Amino acid sequence: MKKLLTIIGLAAVSLSGVQAQTLIGYWNFNALSIATASAPGSGGVPNTITADSGSGTLTLAGSWDGLVDDFGGSTINALNSDAAEESLSLVSNAGNGSFIEFSFSTLNLTDIKVTFATRGTSSGYNGGQWSYSTDGANFTNFGVNTATTSTSFALADSGTTAGINNLGTAYLRYTLSGATSTSGNNRIDNLQITGVPEPTTVALIGFGTAFALMRIRRRSRA
């Protein structure tokens, strides 16, 4: 019995020390093919874009007052060896104060964050604020400014929030500001939303692993 408890304890401690991010949703935007920049719902710009891996929905309709286009992308933060084909590009100072919105599940997950490849132009958006919501109506700001006017792609990290832990449906918004011309734009590519398994979930995995090890051990002795 002592050996069993020792194995369970070691398995649980070992797994709880691993704070690996679990993928919730991933968008590579490589399927976008927009001939001319336009408002969502026209000109080939979709109102919603579902995740390419994992689950979740990106919504542009009703929130984006500027222009949306597809420009060349990046391999930074890409999954599955995705090529640098397309990126979601948000264009024009007419979009200042507008946002894109994500909805997804965070059940059994904590410390939700967003990472993505991004670049901009000198007259593009220099303010990019993330916010979260539990009801899709009331949003709270968190994290750091992830907008950039650098013309080279780099990795952006929103920082984590505990405000939407363990929810059937959670919401994130990315609100952009500071563009100074109609040609100013910012690109978003290979966007990942991730979370960390809750401690109770990790502990259950640890117990399951320990019992599996014990059964294997007993069979080997039989």
Side-chain angles (χ1 to χ4, degrees):
M1 186 64 179
K2 287 184 179 180
K3 289 182 178 180
L4 174 60
L5 291 174
T6 299
I7 293 172
I8 292 173
L10 289 174
V13 169
S14 175
L15 286 169
S16 65
V18 177
Q19 294 296 306
Q21 294 289 320
T22 295
L23 180 69
I24 296 172
Y26 166 68
W27 288 258
N28 63 26
F29 303 110
N30 288 345
L32 290 180
S33 182
I34 304 168
T36 306
S38 56
S42 63
V45 181
N47 286 328
T48 60
I49 305 172
T50 56
D52 296 290
S53 296
S55 61
T57 301
L58 182 162
T59 302
L60 291 162
S63 63
W64 188 248
D65 297 324
L67 301 177
V68 182
D69 208 338
D70 62 325
F71 292 152
S74 170
T75 58
I76 294 173
N77 214 44
L79 297 179
N80 311 316
S81 301
D82 286 344
E85 296 179 11
E86 307 292 337
S87 64
L88 177 67
S89 185
L90 305 175
V91 186
S92 177
N93 57 350
N96 283 331
S98 297
F99 58 83
I100 58 177
E101 185 170 300
F102 299 85
S103 58
F104 48 91
S105 171
T106 63
L107 286 176
N108 302 317
L109 296 172
T110 66
D111 298 329
I112 312 304
K113 74 171 182 175
V114 186
T115 57
F116 57 101
T118 189
R119 56 154 290 185
T121 63
S122 59
S123 59
Y125 302 100
N126 58 24
Q129 176 65 60
W130 286 96
S131 57
Y132 68 83
S133 175
T134 61
D135 59 10
N138 301 290
F139 284 80
T140 301
N141 292 343
F142 77 97
V144 298
N145 176 19
T146 53
T148 180
T149 55
S150 171
T151 56
S152 297
F153 272 106
L155 180 67
D157 187 329
S158 70
T160 61
T161 175
I164 48 175
N165 291 351
N166 196 24
L167 293 177
T169 304
Y171 303 86
L172 288 177
R173 280 183 181 176
Y174 188 41
T175 303
L176 291 151
S177 60
T180 57
S181 77
T182 56
S183 61
N185 66 84
N186 293 67
R187 305 182 199 182
I188 296 171
D189 201 11
N190 304 324
L191 187 143
Q192 298 184 38
I193 301 176
T194 58
V196 174
E198 287 189 317
T200 52
T201 302
V202 173
L204 288 173
I205 295 172
F207 291 137
T209 302
F211 280 115
L213 290 172
M214 284 298 296
R215 292 187 66 181
I216 292 171
R217 185 178 179 184
R218 286 175 179 173
R219 287 177 182 175
S220 65
R221 287 180 173 179

PDB file of all heavy atoms in Angstrom, residues 46-80:
ATOM      1  N   PRO A  46     -15.077  36.899 -44.982  1.00  0.00           N
ATOM      2  CA  PRO A  46     -16.070  36.162 -44.185  1.00  0.00           C
ATOM      3  C   PRO A  46     -16.477  36.931 -42.935  1.00  0.00           C
ATOM      4  O   PRO A  46     -15.702  37.720 -42.390  1.00  0.00           O
ATOM      5  CB  PRO A  46     -15.332  34.877 -43.818  1.00  0.00           C
ATOM      6  CG  PRO A  46     -13.887  35.273 -43.811  1.00  0.00           C
ATOM      7  CD  PRO A  46     -13.734  36.308 -44.902  1.00  0.00           C
ATOM      8  N   ASN A  47     -17.704  36.678 -42.487  1.00  0.00           N
ATOM      9  CA  ASN A  47     -18.149  37.240 -41.211  1.00  0.00           C
ATOM     10  C   ASN A  47     -17.507  36.501 -40.046  1.00  0.00           C
ATOM     11  O   ASN A  47     -17.203  37.088 -39.012  1.00  0.00           O
ATOM     12  CB  ASN A  47     -19.669  37.153 -41.086  1.00  0.00           C
ATOM     13  CG  ASN A  47     -20.379  38.152 -41.964  1.00  0.00           C
ATOM     14  OD1 ASN A  47     -19.878  39.236 -42.214  1.00  0.00           O
ATOM     15  ND2 ASN A  47     -21.558  37.786 -42.449  1.00  0.00           N
ATOM     16  N   THR A  48     -17.349  35.178 -40.210  1.00  0.00           N
ATOM     17  CA  THR A  48     -16.763  34.355 -39.167  1.00  0.00           C
ATOM     18  C   THR A  48     -15.727  33.424 -39.779  1.00  0.00           C
ATOM     19  O   THR A  48     -15.849  33.004 -40.933  1.00  0.00           O
ATOM     20  CB  THR A  48     -17.822  33.525 -38.426  1.00  0.00           C
ATOM     21  OG1 THR A  48     -18.485  32.667 -39.364  1.00  0.00           O
ATOM     22  CG2 THR A  48     -18.837  34.423 -37.750  1.00  0.00           C
ATOM     23  N   ILE A  49     -14.720  33.082 -38.978  1.00  0.00           N
ATOM     24  CA  ILE A  49     -13.675  32.155 -39.410  1.00  0.00           C
ATOM     25  C   ILE A  49     -13.510  31.120 -38.302  1.00  0.00           C
ATOM     26  O   ILE A  49     -13.170  31.463 -37.166  1.00  0.00           O
ATOM     27  CB  ILE A  49     -12.340  32.883 -39.650  1.00  0.00           C
ATOM     28  CG1 ILE A  49     -12.517  34.040 -40.645  1.00  0.00           C
ATOM     29  CG2 ILE A  49     -11.283  31.908 -40.155  1.00  0.00           C
ATOM     30  CD1 ILE A  49     -11.278  34.916 -40.786  1.00  0.00           C
ATOM     31  N   THR A  50     -13.764  29.853 -38.616  1.00  0.00           N
ATOM     32  CA  THR A  50     -13.617  28.805 -37.616  1.00  0.00           C
ATOM     33  C   THR A  50     -12.155  28.390 -37.500  1.00  0.00           C
ATOM     34  O   THR A  50     -11.360  28.568 -38.431  1.00  0.00           O
ATOM     35  CB  THR A  50     -14.469  27.574 -37.968  1.00  0.00           C
ATOM     36  OG1 THR A  50     -14.117  27.118 -39.285  1.00  0.00           O
ATOM     37  CG2 THR A  50     -15.941  27.929 -37.943  1.00  0.00           C
ATOM     38  N   ALA A  51     -11.799  27.841 -36.349  1.00  0.00           N
ATOM     39  CA  ALA A  51     -10.421  27.446 -36.088  1.00  0.00           C
ATOM     40  C   ALA A  51      -9.975  26.361 -37.059  1.00  0.00           C
ATOM     41  O   ALA A  51     -10.748  25.457 -37.406  1.00  0.00           O
ATOM     42  CB  ALA A  51     -10.277  26.963 -34.652  1.00  0.00           C
ATOM     43  N   ASP A  52      -8.714  26.425 -37.493  1.00  0.00           N
ATOM     44  CA  ASP A  52      -8.149  25.395 -38.366  1.00  0.00           C
ATOM     45  C   ASP A  52      -7.760  24.154 -37.574  1.00  0.00           C
ATOM     46  O   ASP A  52      -7.754  23.049 -38.103  1.00  0.00           O
ATOM     47  CB  ASP A  52      -6.920  25.944 -39.100  1.00  0.00           C
ATOM     48  CG  ASP A  52      -7.279  27.083 -40.029  1.00  0.00           C
ATOM     49  OD1 ASP A  52      -7.931  26.816 -41.058  1.00  0.00           O
ATOM     50  OD2 ASP A  52      -6.925  28.238 -39.734  1.00  0.00           O
ATOM     51  N   SER A  53      -7.398  24.332 -36.308  1.00  0.00           N
ATOM     52  CA  SER A  53      -7.138  23.220 -35.394  1.00  0.00           C
ATOM     53  C   SER A  53      -7.772  23.555 -34.056  1.00  0.00           C
ATOM     54  O   SER A  53      -7.912  24.732 -33.712  1.00  0.00           O
ATOM     55  CB  SER A  53      -5.632  22.999 -35.204  1.00  0.00           C
ATOM     56  OG  SER A  53      -5.014  22.604 -36.418  1.00  0.00           O
ATOM     57  N   GLY A  54      -8.152  22.518 -33.293  1.00  0.00           N
ATOM     58  CA  GLY A  54      -8.865  22.798 -32.059  1.00  0.00           C
ATOM     59  C   GLY A  54     -10.278  23.251 -32.380  1.00  0.00           C
ATOM     60  O   GLY A  54     -10.882  22.808 -33.352  1.00  0.00           O
ATOM     61  N   SER A  55     -10.802  24.176 -31.581  1.00  0.00           N
ATOM     62  CA  SER A  55     -12.157  24.672 -31.816  1.00  0.00           C
ATOM     63  C   SER A  55     -12.245  26.136 -31.415  1.00  0.00           C
ATOM     64  O   SER A  55     -11.426  26.637 -30.659  1.00  0.00           O
ATOM     65  CB  SER A  55     -13.188  23.857 -31.028  1.00  0.00           C
ATOM     66  OG  SER A  55     -12.927  23.949 -29.637  1.00  0.00           O
ATOM     67  N   GLY A  56     -13.257  26.791 -31.932  1.00  0.00           N
ATOM     68  CA  GLY A  56     -13.455  28.211 -31.642  1.00  0.00           C
ATOM     69  C   GLY A  56     -13.849  28.959 -32.904  1.00  0.00           C
ATOM     70  O   GLY A  56     -13.669  28.462 -34.017  1.00  0.00           O
ATOM     71  N   THR A  57     -14.379  30.163 -32.716  1.00  0.00           N
ATOM     72  CA  THR A  57     -14.838  30.984 -33.834  1.00  0.00           C
ATOM     73  C   THR A  57     -14.309  32.401 -33.701  1.00  0.00           C
ATOM     74  O   THR A  57     -14.388  33.003 -32.627  1.00  0.00           O
ATOM     75  CB  THR A  57     -16.375  31.029 -33.893  1.00  0.00           C
ATOM     76  OG1 THR A  57     -16.875  29.694 -34.025  1.00  0.00           O
ATOM     77  CG2 THR A  57     -16.859  31.853 -35.065  1.00  0.00           C
ATOM     78  N   LEU A  58     -13.757  32.918 -34.775  1.00  0.00           N
ATOM     79  CA  LEU A  58     -13.348  34.321 -34.869  1.00  0.00           C
ATOM     80  C   LEU A  58     -14.460  35.069 -35.588  1.00  0.00           C
ATOM     81  O   LEU A  58     -14.893  34.647 -36.666  1.00  0.00           O
ATOM     82  CB  LEU A  58     -12.036  34.434 -35.639  1.00  0.00           C
ATOM     83  CG  LEU A  58     -11.389  35.814 -35.825  1.00  0.00           C
ATOM     84  CD1 LEU A  58      -9.910  35.637 -36.221  1.00  0.00           C
ATOM     85  CD2 LEU A  58     -12.069  36.654 -36.905  1.00  0.00           C
ATOM     86  N   THR A  59     -14.925  36.175 -35.007  1.00  0.00           N
ATOM     87  CA  THR A  59     -16.024  36.937 -35.590  1.00  0.00           C
ATOM     88  C   THR A  59     -15.567  38.341 -35.965  1.00  0.00           C
ATOM     89  O   THR A  59     -14.941  39.035 -35.176  1.00  0.00           O
ATOM     90  CB  THR A  59     -17.198  37.038 -34.598  1.00  0.00           C
ATOM     91  OG1 THR A  59     -17.632  35.724 -34.247  1.00  0.00           O
ATOM     92  CG2 THR A  59     -18.372  37.795 -35.218  1.00  0.00           C
ATOM     93  N   LEU A  60     -15.910  38.739 -37.192  1.00  0.00           N
ATOM     94  CA  LEU A  60     -15.642  40.091 -37.666  1.00  0.00           C
ATOM     95  C   LEU A  60     -16.935  40.891 -37.810  1.00  0.00           C
ATOM     96  O   LEU A  60     -16.945  42.097 -37.652  1.00  0.00           O
ATOM     97  CB  LEU A  60     -14.929  40.050 -39.024  1.00  0.00           C
ATOM     98  CG  LEU A  60     -13.497  39.523 -39.018  1.00  0.00           C
ATOM     99  CD1 LEU A  60     -13.067  39.120 -40.423  1.00  0.00           C
ATOM    100  CD2 LEU A  60     -12.540  40.551 -38.458  1.00  0.00           C
ATOM    101  N   ALA A  61     -18.023  40.221 -38.125  1.00  0.00           N
ATOM    102  CA  ALA A  61     -19.276  40.913 -38.386  1.00  0.00           C
ATOM    103  C   ALA A  61     -19.745  41.710 -37.183  1.00  0.00           C
ATOM    104  O   ALA A  61     -19.714  41.236 -36.054  1.00  0.00           O
ATOM    105  CB  ALA A  61     -20.354  39.903 -38.774  1.00  0.00           C
ATOM    106  N   GLY A  62     -20.186  42.933 -37.435  1.00  0.00           N
ATOM    107  CA  GLY A  62     -20.759  43.763 -36.391  1.00  0.00           C
ATOM    108  C   GLY A  62     -19.747  44.422 -35.487  1.00  0.00           C
ATOM    109  O   GLY A  62     -20.107  45.177 -34.591  1.00  0.00           O
ATOM    110  N   SER A  63     -18.460  44.139 -35.705  1.00  0.00           N
ATOM    111  CA  SER A  63     -17.462  44.730 -34.821  1.00  0.00           C
ATOM    112  C   SER A  63     -16.350  45.438 -35.582  1.00  0.00           C
ATOM    113  O   SER A  63     -15.681  46.290 -35.015  1.00  0.00           O
ATOM    114  CB  SER A  63     -16.841  43.651 -33.932  1.00  0.00           C
ATOM    115  OG  SER A  63     -16.166  42.692 -34.716  1.00  0.00           O
ATOM    116  N   TRP A  64     -16.175  45.103 -36.846  1.00  0.00           N
ATOM    117  CA  TRP A  64     -15.063  45.677 -37.588  1.00  0.00           C
ATOM    118  C   TRP A  64     -15.566  46.739 -38.566  1.00  0.00           C
ATOM    119  O   TRP A  64     -16.197  46.440 -39.567  1.00  0.00           O
ATOM    120  CB  TRP A  64     -14.294  44.590 -38.336  1.00  0.00           C
ATOM    121  CG  TRP A  64     -13.057  45.134 -38.947  1.00  0.00           C
ATOM    122  CD1 TRP A  64     -12.791  45.291 -40.263  1.00  0.00           C
ATOM    123  CD2 TRP A  64     -11.923  45.660 -38.251  1.00  0.00           C
ATOM    124  NE1 TRP A  64     -11.569  45.872 -40.439  1.00  0.00           N
ATOM    125  CE2 TRP A  64     -11.019  46.110 -39.230  1.00  0.00           C
ATOM    126  CE3 TRP A  64     -11.598  45.808 -36.900  1.00  0.00           C
ATOM    127  CZ2 TRP A  64      -9.797  46.689 -38.886  1.00  0.00           C
ATOM    128  CZ3 TRP A  64     -10.388  46.368 -36.570  1.00  0.00           C
ATOM    129  CH2 TRP A  64      -9.508  46.792 -37.549  1.00  0.00           C
ATOM    130  N   ASP A  65     -15.245  47.998 -38.267  1.00  0.00           N
ATOM    131  CA  ASP A  65     -15.731  49.097 -39.092  1.00  0.00           C
ATOM    132  C   ASP A  65     -14.729  49.508 -40.164  1.00  0.00           C
ATOM    133  O   ASP A  65     -15.036  50.288 -41.053  1.00  0.00           O
ATOM    134  CB  ASP A  65     -16.027  50.323 -38.209  1.00  0.00           C
ATOM    135  CG  ASP A  65     -17.134  50.029 -37.214  1.00  0.00           C
ATOM    136  OD1 ASP A  65     -18.058  49.290 -37.576  1.00  0.00           O
ATOM    137  OD2 ASP A  65     -17.056  50.520 -36.081  1.00  0.00           O
ATOM    138  N   GLY A  66     -13.490  49.002 -40.063  1.00  0.00           N
ATOM    139  CA  GLY A  66     -12.482  49.313 -41.065  1.00  0.00           C
ATOM    140  C   GLY A  66     -12.523  48.314 -42.192  1.00  0.00           C
ATOM    141  O   GLY A  66     -13.559  47.751 -42.513  1.00  0.00           O
ATOM    142  N   LEU A  67     -11.394  48.048 -42.806  1.00  0.00           N
ATOM    143  CA  LEU A  67     -11.309  47.134 -43.933  1.00  0.00           C
ATOM    144  C   LEU A  67     -10.506  45.906 -43.548  1.00  0.00           C
ATOM    145  O   LEU A  67      -9.614  45.955 -42.709  1.00  0.00           O
ATOM    146  CB  LEU A  67     -10.650  47.834 -45.122  1.00  0.00           C
ATOM    147  CG  LEU A  67     -11.368  49.100 -45.633  1.00  0.00           C
ATOM    148  CD1 LEU A  67     -10.581  49.734 -46.759  1.00  0.00           C
ATOM    149  CD2 LEU A  67     -12.771  48.751 -46.101  1.00  0.00           C
ATOM    150  N   VAL A  68     -10.844  44.783 -44.176  1.00  0.00           N
ATOM    151  CA  VAL A  68     -10.161  43.521 -43.932  1.00  0.00           C
ATOM    152  C   VAL A  68      -9.590  43.012 -45.243  1.00  0.00           C
ATOM    153  O   VAL A  68     -10.222  43.094 -46.289  1.00  0.00           O
ATOM    154  CB  VAL A  68     -11.131  42.474 -43.345  1.00  0.00           C
ATOM    155  CG1 VAL A  68     -10.410  41.170 -43.047  1.00  0.00           C
ATOM    156  CG2 VAL A  68     -11.790  43.021 -42.100  1.00  0.00           C
ATOM    157  N   ASP A  69      -8.376  42.477 -45.195  1.00  0.00           N
ATOM    158  CA  ASP A  69      -7.716  41.978 -46.397  1.00  0.00           C
ATOM    159  C   ASP A  69      -6.886  40.763 -46.017  1.00  0.00           C
ATOM    160  O   ASP A  69      -6.800  40.391 -44.843  1.00  0.00           O
ATOM    161  CB  ASP A  69      -6.830  43.066 -47.009  1.00  0.00           C
ATOM    162  CG  ASP A  69      -6.675  42.917 -48.512  1.00  0.00           C
ATOM    163  OD1 ASP A  69      -6.872  41.784 -49.022  1.00  0.00           O
ATOM    164  OD2 ASP A  69      -6.342  43.902 -49.185  1.00  0.00           O
ATOM    165  N   ASP A  70      -6.282  40.125 -47.022  1.00  0.00           N
ATOM    166  CA  ASP A  70      -5.341  39.042 -46.759  1.00  0.00           C
ATOM    167  C   ASP A  70      -4.017  39.384 -47.430  1.00  0.00           C
ATOM    168  O   ASP A  70      -3.964  39.638 -48.618  1.00  0.00           O
ATOM    169  CB  ASP A  70      -5.875  37.696 -47.256  1.00  0.00           C
ATOM    170  CG  ASP A  70      -6.100  37.671 -48.756  1.00  0.00           C
ATOM    171  OD1 ASP A  70      -6.493  38.718 -49.317  1.00  0.00           O
ATOM    172  OD2 ASP A  70      -5.872  36.619 -49.372  1.00  0.00           O
ATOM    173  N   PHE A  71      -2.964  39.435 -46.642  1.00  0.00           N
ATOM    174  CA  PHE A  71      -1.620  39.682 -47.149  1.00  0.00           C
ATOM    175  C   PHE A  71      -0.751  38.465 -46.853  1.00  0.00           C
ATOM    176  O   PHE A  71      -1.206  37.505 -46.239  1.00  0.00           O
ATOM    177  CB  PHE A  71      -1.017  40.930 -46.493  1.00  0.00           C
ATOM    178  CG  PHE A  71      -1.685  42.222 -46.890  1.00  0.00           C
ATOM    179  CD1 PHE A  71      -1.680  43.304 -46.024  1.00  0.00           C
ATOM    180  CD2 PHE A  71      -2.327  42.369 -48.107  1.00  0.00           C
ATOM    181  CE1 PHE A  71      -2.281  44.508 -46.374  1.00  0.00           C
ATOM    182  CE2 PHE A  71      -2.936  43.560 -48.468  1.00  0.00           C
ATOM    183  CZ  PHE A  71      -2.918  44.632 -47.598  1.00  0.00           C
ATOM    184  N   GLY A  72       0.495  38.512 -47.293  1.00  0.00           N
ATOM    185  CA  GLY A  72       1.423  37.415 -47.054  1.00  0.00           C
ATOM    186  C   GLY A  72       1.602  37.138 -45.575  1.00  0.00           C
ATOM    187  O   GLY A  72       1.547  38.047 -44.745  1.00  0.00           O
ATOM    188  N   GLY A  73       1.832  35.864 -45.239  1.00  0.00           N
ATOM    189  CA  GLY A  73       1.913  35.471 -43.851  1.00  0.00           C
ATOM    190  C   GLY A  73       3.311  35.126 -43.385  1.00  0.00           C
ATOM    191  O   GLY A  73       4.307  35.556 -43.967  1.00  0.00           O
ATOM    192  N   SER A  74       3.371  34.319 -42.314  1.00  0.00           N
ATOM    193  CA  SER A  74       4.628  33.982 -41.650  1.00  0.00           C
ATOM    194  C   SER A  74       4.561  32.538 -41.171  1.00  0.00           C
ATOM    195  O   SER A  74       3.479  31.956 -41.071  1.00  0.00           O
ATOM    196  CB  SER A  74       4.857  34.918 -40.466  1.00  0.00           C
ATOM    197  OG  SER A  74       5.935  34.498 -39.665  1.00  0.00           O
ATOM    198  N   THR A  75       5.714  31.952 -40.867  1.00  0.00           N
ATOM    199  CA  THR A  75       5.747  30.626 -40.251  1.00  0.00           C
ATOM    200  C   THR A  75       5.925  30.726 -38.734  1.00  0.00           C
ATOM    201  O   THR A  75       5.897  29.708 -38.043  1.00  0.00           O
ATOM    202  CB  THR A  75       6.888  29.772 -40.829  1.00  0.00           C
ATOM    203  OG1 THR A  75       8.135  30.449 -40.628  1.00  0.00           O
ATOM    204  CG2 THR A  75       6.679  29.521 -42.317  1.00  0.00           C
ATOM    205  N   ILE A  76       6.107  31.937 -38.215  1.00  0.00           N
ATOM    206  CA  ILE A  76       6.250  32.119 -36.770  1.00  0.00           C
ATOM    207  C   ILE A  76       4.967  31.664 -36.066  1.00  0.00           C
ATOM    208  O   ILE A  76       3.870  32.038 -36.465  1.00  0.00           O
ATOM    209  CB  ILE A  76       6.557  33.592 -36.427  1.00  0.00           C
ATOM    210  CG1 ILE A  76       7.923  33.996 -36.972  1.00  0.00           C
ATOM    211  CG2 ILE A  76       6.488  33.842 -34.928  1.00  0.00           C
ATOM    212  CD1 ILE A  76       8.232  35.468 -36.836  1.00  0.00           C
ATOM    213  N   ASN A  77       5.102  30.840 -35.050  1.00  0.00           N
ATOM    214  CA  ASN A  77       3.989  30.311 -34.249  1.00  0.00           C
ATOM    215  C   ASN A  77       3.091  29.349 -35.023  1.00  0.00           C
ATOM    216  O   ASN A  77       2.006  28.996 -34.564  1.00  0.00           O
ATOM    217  CB  ASN A  77       3.133  31.441 -33.677  1.00  0.00           C
ATOM    218  CG  ASN A  77       2.555  31.109 -32.311  1.00  0.00           C
ATOM    219  OD1 ASN A  77       3.256  30.576 -31.456  1.00  0.00           O
ATOM    220  ND2 ASN A  77       1.297  31.442 -32.080  1.00  0.00           N
ATOM    221  N   ALA A  78       3.533  28.893 -36.195  1.00  0.00           N
ATOM    222  CA  ALA A  78       2.721  27.991 -37.010  1.00  0.00           C
ATOM    223  C   ALA A  78       2.733  26.576 -36.443  1.00  0.00           C
ATOM    224  O   ALA A  78       3.706  26.145 -35.825  1.00  0.00           O
ATOM    225  CB  ALA A  78       3.234  27.974 -38.443  1.00  0.00           C
ATOM    226  N   LEU A  79       1.631  25.855 -36.654  1.00  0.00           N
ATOM    227  CA  LEU A  79       1.526  24.449 -36.297  1.00  0.00           C
ATOM    228  C   LEU A  79       1.532  23.599 -37.563  1.00  0.00           C
ATOM    229  O   LEU A  79       1.233  24.095 -38.661  1.00  0.00           O
ATOM    230  CB  LEU A  79       0.229  24.196 -35.525  1.00  0.00           C
ATOM    231  CG  LEU A  79       0.057  24.884 -34.170  1.00  0.00           C
ATOM    232  CD1 LEU A  79      -1.315  24.523 -33.592  1.00  0.00           C
ATOM    233  CD2 LEU A  79       1.165  24.495 -33.201  1.00  0.00           C
ATOM    234  N   ASN A  80       1.833  22.325 -37.398  1.00  0.00           N
ATOM    235  CA  ASN A  80       1.713  21.357 -38.491  1.00  0.00           C
ATOM    236  C   ASN A  80       2.526  21.728 -39.728  1.00  0.00           C
ATOM    237  O   ASN A  80       2.141  21.409 -40.854  1.00  0.00           O
ATOM    238  CB  ASN A  80       0.236  21.189 -38.893  1.00  0.00           C
ATOM    239  CG  ASN A  80      -0.672  20.943 -37.707  1.00  0.00           C
ATOM    240  OD1 ASN A  80      -0.338  20.165 -36.838  1.00  0.00           O
ATOM    241  ND2 ASN A  80      -1.802  21.635 -37.663  1.00  0.00           N
TER     242      ASN A  80
END
